[in-house]
């Protein structure tokens, strides 16, 4: 029972002999997706352990699958599931004859309150706090990044192991192992069910946002595998980020991350051709960008700014993404502003990749010569050695400066370094389009 | 998947609604909206003002004729909408069921079309792409993150 999957993890039962049962199963899955975080959060406060809380919630879910098809979905399905799970918890303690004082008190309470117990337990303000605690526990630093991601999707997002496995292109058993191990790690480390203390709050919030952004990028960046599943991964990351932003309305970086994801996701439809070939930004059909989504990104960024604590790394990246999102074309993009934003980002979160991006923006804004100076510095300090985009950008700048033979050699290096076949093809095409090399002097 | 929840009420329900304690109505709707926001599924939504302020453009004749009162012939008023993100029709239905509405009201739940729903080889979609194809010769690494 410890790793029963959410019903959403099961493929729609196309060959199911009983359509009524199938319908009930789908209804249960829908309720689970909406309620599971609240249920697990509430139960965690009740039993004091996330792993056990999740197991109990899953058991209640199995019970729902048994009862709801016949009796219909109850009026307050979340409260129903919570009540069943709590009764299970008490039964379990009794069975194991570990009915110590605390448990006895809890059991008495529950029995006294009877049917209304679930309602009194269902205080929306407390639940919001509980979900926030749950998010911080799922992203706790005692866990590996993989475990944080799996646990967040499972416990906060309500996804099944199979869905998570499909999203991350790993076997289901691996995901199940990660989740089981993560729960054990949390229990062994006696991780408290709480939002971190003020002195570690910022670091932990950054970690939560980073986990969500990693999940988002897993869906966004082109990689091998089933392309249809992956926009769903980004959509789930976006939903969870909106959730975090909703729970933490005073955190500008949480709002900014939502903005960044909205802007980025608005290009989903335009960034791959029908055959899956990636389409670079300057060739994307901007009429296919999702205007409503861009509008939501702007609203989220405005909320972040309204808090008045300045822009963090996500805020700056969101602002850059906004410049692209509102520009009618590559030429009409406010490249000068993007350069400034990259400069600010480079001061806040120094990274050679940020410098390379800034160089590209500089090339668009003031020309290839000044951009080349930035790129040459990056080459000199060697921190991006072996990183294909560096020679690709340098080659392009040299080509624009008419230094054809140097450009050729850089583009060839880039083509050799890139692991992406599409990228290699486009680099080779660019090389072929260069003026032929001068005949060797004899 | 995106779904639009379209709120419709008949004349009687609208009248009943107007006689309810307005602060209670606001509180119930506010709580519902908040639950959508906190679940991260609310993408947008608006309420519509009194139907009397609206009008209809009728395409029965050419040129179309503008008539007043959108609901002269029907009993069901379209009052507002939400757009939500849901992973299945069942999830959209589950959210819709939680809306604090009473007898005489209906929520119509419609999936919002995505670009993938349209024929990608459509002449106008391709033409649009052609208009924008002049981007050639530009720095293709405009955004290495792409």
């Amino acid at each position: 029972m410890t790793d029963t999957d959410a019903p959403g993890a099961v493929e729609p039962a196309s060959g199911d002999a009983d359509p009524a049962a199938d319908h009930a199963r789908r209804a249960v899955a829908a309720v689970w997706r909406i309620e599971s975080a609240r249920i697990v959060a509430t139960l965690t406060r009740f039993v004091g352990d996330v792993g056990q809380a999740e197991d109990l919630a899953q058991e209640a879910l199995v019970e729902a699958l048994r009862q709801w098809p016949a009796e219909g979905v109850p009026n307050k399905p979340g409260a129903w599931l919570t009540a069943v799970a709590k009764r299970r918890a008490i039964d379990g303690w009794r069975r194991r004859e570990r009915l110590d004082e605390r448990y006895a008190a809890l059991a008495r309470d529950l029995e006294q309150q009877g049917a209304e117990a679930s309602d009194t337990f269902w205080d929306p303000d407390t639940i919001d706090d509980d979900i926030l605690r749950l998010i911080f526990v799922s992203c706790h630093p005692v866990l590996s990044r993989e475990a944080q991601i799996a646990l967040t999707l499972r416990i906060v997002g309500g996804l099944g192991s199979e869905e998570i496995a499909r999203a991350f292109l790993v076997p289901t058993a691996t995901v199940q192992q990660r989740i089981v191990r993560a729960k054990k790690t949390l229990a062994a480390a006696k991780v408290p069910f709480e939002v971190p203390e003020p002195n570690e709050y910022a670091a932990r919030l950054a970690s939560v946002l980073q986990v969500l952004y990693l999940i988002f990028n897993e869906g966004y960046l082109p990689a091998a595998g089933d392309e249809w599943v992956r926009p769903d991964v980004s959509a789930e990351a976006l939903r969870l980020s909106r959730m975090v932003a909703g729970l933490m309305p005073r955190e500008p970086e949480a709002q900014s991350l939502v903005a960044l994801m909205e802007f980025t996701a608005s290009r989903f439809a335009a960034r791959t051709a029908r055959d899956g070939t990636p389409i670079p930004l300057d060739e994307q059909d901007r009429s296919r960008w999702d205007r409503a989504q861009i509008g939501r990104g702007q609203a989220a960024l405005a909320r972040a700014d309204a808090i008045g604590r300045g822009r963090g790394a996500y805020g700056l990246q969101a602002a850059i993404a906004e410049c692209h999102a509102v520009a009618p074309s590559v030429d009409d993009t406010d490249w000068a502003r993007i350069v400034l934003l990259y400069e600010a980002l480079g001061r806040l979160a120094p990274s050679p990749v940020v410098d390379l991006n800034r160089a590209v923006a500089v090339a668009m804004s003031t020309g290839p010569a000044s951009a080349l100076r930035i790129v040459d510095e990056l080459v000199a300090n060697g921190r991006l050695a072996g990183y294909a985009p560096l020679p690709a950008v340098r080659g392009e700048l040299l080509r624009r400066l008419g230094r054809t033979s140097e450009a050729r050699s850089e583009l060839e290096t880039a083509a050799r370094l890139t692991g992406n076949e599409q990228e290699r093809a486009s680099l080779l095409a660019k090389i072929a389009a260069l003026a032929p090399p001068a005949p060797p002097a004899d | 998947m995106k779904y639009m929840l379209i709120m419709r009420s008949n004349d009687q329900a609208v009248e009943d609604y107007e006689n309810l304690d307005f602060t209670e109505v606001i509180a119930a709707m506010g709580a519902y909206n908040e639950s959508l926001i906190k679940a991260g599924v609310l993408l947008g939504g608006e309420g519509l003002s009194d139907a009397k302020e609206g009008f209809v453009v009728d395409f029965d004749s050419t040129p179309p004729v503008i008539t007043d009162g959108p609901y002269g012939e029907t009993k069901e008023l379209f009052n507002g909408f939400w757009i939500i993100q849901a992973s299945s029709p069942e999830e959209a239905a589950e959210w819709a069921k939680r809306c604090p509405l009473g007898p005489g009201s209906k929520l119509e739940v419609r999936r919002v079309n995505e670009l993938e729903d349209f024929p990608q080889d459509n002449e106008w979609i391709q033409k649009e792409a052609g208009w924008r194809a002049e981007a050639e010769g530009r720095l293709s690494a405009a955004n290495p993150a792409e």
Side-chain angles (χ1 to χ4, degrees):
Chain A
M1 274 308 225
T2 52
D3 205 40
T4 325
D5 250 350
V10 185
E11 288 294 334
S14 47
D16 201 312
D18 185 355
D22 187 45
H23 176 75
R25 191 189 57 75
R26 288 166 154 274
V28 174
V31 168
W32 178 255
R33 188 172 162 85
I34 294 172
E35 301 281 5
S36 64
R38 291 144 57 98
I39 294 168
V40 176
T42 305
L43 289 171
T44 304
R45 183 151 45 83
F46 186 63
V47 300
D49 176 85
V50 172
Q52 200 193 343
E54 213 236 348
D55 292 346
L56 289 166
Q58 295 279 350
E59 287 178 38
L61 186 67
V62 171
E63 191 61 40
L65 279 166
R66 203 160 27 230
Q67 286 193 26
W68 295 4
E71 293 161 27
V73 177
N75 238 348
K76 292 182 174 172
W80 188 97
L81 287 165
T82 311
V84 169
K86 278 194 278 185
R87 235 168 273 137
R88 290 269 177 148
I90 290 160
D91 288 350
W93 294 327
R94 287 207 171 117
R95 249 195 330 269
R96 277 165 284 169
E97 293 174 26
R98 274 172 37 201
L99 197 63
D100 68 15
E101 207 116 315
R102 175 170 166 258
Y103 295 157
L106 287 170
R108 249 193 332 271
D109 273 6
L110 191 72
E111 272 161 9
Q112 274 168 9
Q113 291 166 347
E116 303 112 272
S118 47
D119 279 345
T120 55
F121 219 97
W122 210 244
D123 171 2
D125 292 332
T126 318
I127 287 166
D128 286 349
D129 291 349
D130 283 349
I131 292 181
L132 203 52
R133 291 188 191 104
L134 194 62
I135 291 167
F136 276 104
V137 170
S138 300
C139 298
H140 198 277
V142 294
L143 301 174
S144 70
R145 246 317 110 83
E146 287 86 3
Q148 292 176 346
I149 289 170
L151 212 57
T152 302
L153 286 173
R154 165 66 159 260
I155 294 191
V156 187
L159 264 59
S161 303
E162 206 167 301
E163 286 171 299
I164 301 169
R166 245 187 299 151
F168 286 85
L169 306 170
V170 293
T172 307
T174 308
V175 170
Q176 282 168 342
Q177 264 171 13
R178 272 178 200 167
I179 290 170
V180 169
R181 228 180 291 138
K183 288 185 202 164
K184 280 188 187 144
T185 307
L186 289 175
K190 294 198 169 56
V191 166
F193 182 55
E194 64 186 20
V195 171
E197 293 296 311
N199 60 339
E200 41 172 330
Y201 182 77
R204 291 281 298 283
L205 175 61
S207 164
V208 167
L209 299 180
Q210 201 191 347
V211 165
L212 296 175
Y213 197 38
L214 283 173
I215 296 170
F216 180 85
N217 279 326
E218 187 61 30
Y220 187 76
L221 289 176
D226 186 344
E227 74 219 56
W228 284 109
V229 177
R230 305 175 83 75
D232 291 353
V233 181
S234 291
E236 180 60 16
L238 191 41
R239 180 180 79 86
L240 292 175
S241 301
R242 288 194 200 109
M243 190 179 201
V244 169
L247 294 170
M248 290 186 267
R250 301 295 305 157
E251 288 299 335
E253 281 290 85
Q255 308 294 336
S256 294
L257 179 62
V258 171
L260 175 58
M261 288 184 185
E262 300 273 16
F263 288 133
T264 310
S266 74
R267 305 205 286 260
F268 243 124
R271 61 192 293 279
T272 41
R274 290 181 84 196
D275 61 358
T277 324
I279 304 173
L281 182 66
D282 63 346
E283 288 168 24
Q284 285 172 22
D285 175 0
R286 290 176 188 227
S287 69
R288 304 190 66 194
W289 291 1
D290 185 335
R291 309 316 305 183
Q293 193 149 33
I294 291 169
R296 288 198 296 277
Q298 290 178 302
L301 195 53
R303 280 197 299 276
D305 286 345
I307 297 165
R309 289 189 354 227
R311 282 182 179 166
Y314 291 118
L316 291 168
Q317 289 175 80
I320 293 166
E322 185 188 28
C323 286
H324 290 299
V326 301
S329 70
V330 170
D331 279 346
D332 293 323
T333 303
D334 191 348
W335 290 105
R337 184 171 151 76
I338 293 179
V339 171
L340 288 175
L341 289 165
Y342 271 124
E343 278 169 5
L345 184 60
R347 277 193 298 275
L348 197 66
S351 142
V353 174
V354 169
D355 289 337
L356 185 61
N357 286 344
R358 177 166 57 91
V360 172
V362 165
M364 297 303 290
S365 150
T366 52
S370 36
L372 188 60
R373 279 195 289 279
I374 301 169
V375 173
D376 284 344
E377 259 173 59
L378 285 170
V379 173
N381 72 27
R383 283 181 58 202
L384 285 180
Y387 183 65
L390 180 61
V393 170
R394 188 160 191 273
E396 182 59 29
L397 294 173
L398 290 166
R399 184 190 71 76
R400 286 181 56 184
L401 288 164
R403 291 158 64 175
T404 310
S405 65
E406 291 166 89
R408 179 187 314 278
S409 127
E410 287 287 4
L411 294 173
E412 280 166 357
T413 306
R416 204 170 51 245
L417 284 175
T418 184
N420 183 319
E421 281 309 316
Q422 305 290 355
E423 180 74 28
R424 178 170 302 127
S426 107
L427 287 162
L428 292 176
K430 207 175 273 181
I431 294 166
L434 288 173
D442 288 317
Chain B
M1 285 181 271
K2 274 185 277 192
Y3 285 88
M4 191 178 202
L5 314 187
I6 303 164
M7 189 168 31
R8 301 189 325 212
S9 305
N10 61 27
D11 291 319
Q12 186 58 49
V14 170
E15 210 185 300
D16 291 351
Y17 214 67
E18 277 159 6
N19 292 329
L20 288 175
D21 181 354
F22 194 57
T23 53
E24 268 176 43
V25 172
I26 296 266
M29 272 302 166
Y32 177 62
N33 289 338
E34 192 180 33
S35 72
L36 294 172
I37 290 167
K38 295 231 158 111
V41 298
L42 185 67
L43 302 183
E46 300 293 342
L48 302 187
S49 73
D50 196 311
K52 290 188 201 81
E53 291 177 45
F55 52 87
V56 164
V57 180
D58 189 334
F59 290 86
D60 271 353
S61 52
T62 314
V65 172
I66 294 181
T67 64
D68 56 342
Y71 297 100
E73 301 292 325
T74 81
K75 291 262 186 287
E76 293 194 329
L77 306 166
F78 170 24
N79 303 324
F81 65 91
W82 292 263
I83 294 182
I84 62 166
Q85 175 194 331
S87 60
S88 66
E90 288 80 7
E91 191 191 332
E94 190 54 42
W95 280 116
K97 272 160 60 183
R98 293 165 190 228
C99 189
L101 295 172
S105 293
K106 287 191 173 87
L107 269 187
E108 177 181 336
V109 181
R110 305 279 301 269
R111 188 170 70 78
V112 177
N113 275 331
E114 314 267 342
L115 270 148
E116 288 73 30
D117 294 329
F118 296 102
Q120 300 301 302
D121 49 4
N122 175 283
E123 175 194 358
W124 289 100
I125 288 180
Q126 294 200 331
K127 205 174 253 184
E128 180 73 30
W131 290 333
R132 302 190 183 266
E134 52 186 57
E136 231 158 305
R138 289 178 188 134
L139 202 63
S140 70
N143 184 355
E146 270 298 305

